Amino acid sequence: MKQNEQLLRHSFNVYSREQILSLLMSYMGAIVDGIVISRFLGDDAMAAFELVAPLTLIGSMLGLVFSTGLLAACSKCLGSGKVKEAESYFTVTIMAMIPVALIWALSVWLLAKPVVALLGASGESAYLAGEAAGYLRGLAPSLFLTIFIPMQNNIMFLEGKAKFCIISMVCQLSFNIAGDFYNALYLHWGLFGMGLSTSLSNAVGFGVMLFGKWVVKGGIRFSNKDLGFGKLITVLNTGVSSALDDFYLSVQTWLVNNVLLMVASGASVAAFGIINTLNNLFLPFILGVTVTD
């Protein structure tokens, strides 16, 4: 019994460290974006960047719903030796995620201007609308991938392919840093360039994950057997509760942004955005332990 407890504790510590490191590398992209925008693009750009934050949090929430629910379902199946059932959960979830991600990304691209007006870039703050809408358009492809990356990350950790997740995040962060500075110092495309840099870096990171999943043999694959709507309901029932914190944070950020715009100025929103950038340093530690549990 004592030996089993030690093995369980060791597995928990290793898995949680890998999850925290992976999430920290992922959040470093947002941290770098905030630093580069505040340092090189100015207060108005930082305020516009912060206005869009609730929408990016909603995207993270959608990804968390699917990824957490699927992780719980697959873990249960694999623990019982039911690999084929885990594969059917994986397939059903992917089939549901594709239309959701497409609708989400296309809606943000096509409705960028009215969306940023709802987020607060209207009236006296309408001067923030151009940069905020530009950022959303550059970010739209990334919003599609953001829903898939957490799911793929969790599944690969479950399959024992954590090293590819870490390599993916390192590549993603490197491309993001290079793209941010190239845009800020040479291209001068404003927040559109920053959003595009994030989209390109996420595409690189996701590509590395796919390479690791399909090249290394073994693990959870697509299946054409036992694909039922009930499996999707199971995934969503588990995942929704885990994403409530992101939803609350999204609403809270939207409210604070709009209150600051009413009683102060865009500079206050920019300052709040810098604080949120620092907060991203702590989230990976909380989420890493939560996902491991």
Side-chain angles (χ1 to χ4, degrees):
M1 179 66 72
K2 186 176 181 180
Q3 185 178 9
N4 289 338
E5 290 179 355
Q6 290 175 342
L7 288 173
L8 183 62
R9 188 179 299 109
H10 174 72
S11 298
F12 176 86
N13 290 335
V14 171
Y15 190 84
S16 60
R17 283 198 300 267
E18 290 173 342
Q19 280 284 357
I20 289 170
L21 180 59
S22 177
L23 288 166
L24 184 60
M25 294 300 294
S26 178
Y27 274 88
M28 281 301 294
I31 294 169
V32 171
D33 284 351
I35 292 173
V36 173
I37 290 170
S38 61
R39 174 63 180 84
F40 295 101
L41 302 187
D43 289 348
D44 288 349
M46 189 63 197
F49 175 72
E50 177 59 21
L51 281 183
V52 175
L55 203 66
T56 59
L57 286 169
I58 292 293
S60 298
M61 182 195 73
L62 291 172
L64 192 61
V65 166
F66 287 106
S67 63
T68 306
L70 180 60
L71 177 64
C74 288
S75 298
K76 183 178 179 180
C77 292
L78 294 177
S80 304
K82 300 176 180 177
V83 178
K84 293 299 181 183
E85 187 172 354
E87 291 180 342
S88 66
Y89 271 106
F90 176 72
T91 305
V92 167
T93 304
I94 292 293
M95 290 171 64
M97 291 173 73
I98 290 174
V100 170
L102 278 173
I103 292 171
W104 173 243
L106 285 174
S107 297
V108 170
W109 172 271
L110 296 173
L111 303 174
K113 286 189 175 180
V115 165
V116 296
L118 289 174
L119 292 173
S122 59
E124 294 182 359
S125 303
Y127 65 95
L128 299 174
E131 285 279 37
Y135 182 70
L136 284 184
R137 290 195 176 104
L139 192 67
S142 177
L143 295 176
F144 176 86
L145 293 174
T146 299
I147 296 179
F148 285 91
I149 288 176
M151 178 276 300
Q152 190 62 56
N153 186 61
N154 284 344
I155 291 298
M156 291 187 71
F157 269 100
L158 192 62
E159 295 171 334
K161 302 174 183 177
K163 65 178 182 179
F164 283 100
C165 296
I166 303 300
I167 293 172
S168 166
M169 295 304 170
V170 171
C171 292
Q172 182 177 332
L173 178 60
S174 300
F175 271 81
N176 195 27
I177 292 174
D180 283 356
F181 278 100
Y182 189 72
N183 173 64
L185 299 177
Y186 298 101
L187 292 179
H188 305 294
W189 286 358
L191 286 190
F192 171 76
M194 301 300 291
L196 193 59
S197 171
T198 299
S199 293
L200 291 173
S201 63
N202 282 354
V204 169
F206 191 63
V208 173
M209 281 189 182
L210 291 181
F211 176 80
K213 180 167 181 61
W214 298 114
V215 170
V216 178
K217 295 182 179 180
I220 300 172
R221 303 286 174 170
F222 283 106
S223 171
N224 58 2
K225 297 180 180 180
D226 196 20
L227 305 179
F229 187 69
K231 285 185 167 59
L232 178 61
I233 296 299
T234 300
V235 169
L236 294 179
N237 283 340
T238 305
V240 166
S241 60
S242 67
L244 292 178
D245 282 345
D246 269 1
F247 179 74
Y248 167 76
L249 185 58
S250 176
V251 174
Q252 181 190 54
T253 303
W254 176 77
L255 287 173
V256 172
N257 285 342
N258 281 271
V259 169
L260 288 174
L261 287 174
M262 285 190 294
V263 302
S265 64
S268 300
V269 177
F272 180 56
I274 294 172
I275 294 173
N276 278 341
T277 297
L278 296 176
N279 286 338
N280 285 331
L281 285 170
F282 301 99
L283 286 175
F285 294 91
I286 298 171
L287 291 175
V289 175
T290 300
V291 170
T292 304
D293 285 340

